[in-house]
Amino acid sequence: MKTINKLALALFFFGTLLVKADDDIPPAPGGGGTGGVGPGGVSPASPIDMYIYLLSVVAVIFIIYYTKNLKSQKA
């Protein structure tokens, strides 16, 4: 039961990290006449790509698999 609680807590914090990951993007530079080339303003690229979510799910699956594997070896 303790392992499930720890896993749930870790998943909660990891989910919070994913939700808050995009909050602190610095503002786009501008106003000085020097900046990006092309139409529109310069907008910073999002640091989160779609494969990050897939890698996160795979990591959680590996953690669960190895935790259960380790428990079965101890028993």
Side-chain angles (χ1 to χ4, degrees):
M1 191 67 177
K2 288 183 181 181
T3 305
I4 293 173
N5 288 340
K6 288 179 185 178
L7 183 62
L9 185 62
L11 288 175
F12 173 75
F13 283 127
F14 187 69
T16 304
L17 178 71
L18 287 178
V19 169
K20 292 290 191 177
D22 204 24
D23 284 351
D24 296 325
I25 295 178
T34 59
V37 178
V42 178
S43 61
S46 178
I48 301 174
D49 295 328
M50 283 306 295
Y51 72 92
I52 297 294
Y53 298 118
L54 177 65
L55 290 176
S56 303
V57 170
V58 170
V60 169
I61 290 171
F62 274 128
I63 290 170
I64 293 170
Y65 172 75
Y66 283 113
T67 302
K68 287 187 177 189
N69 194 9
L70 184 63
K71 278 187 178 181
S72 66
Q73 287 179 358
K74 285 185 177 180

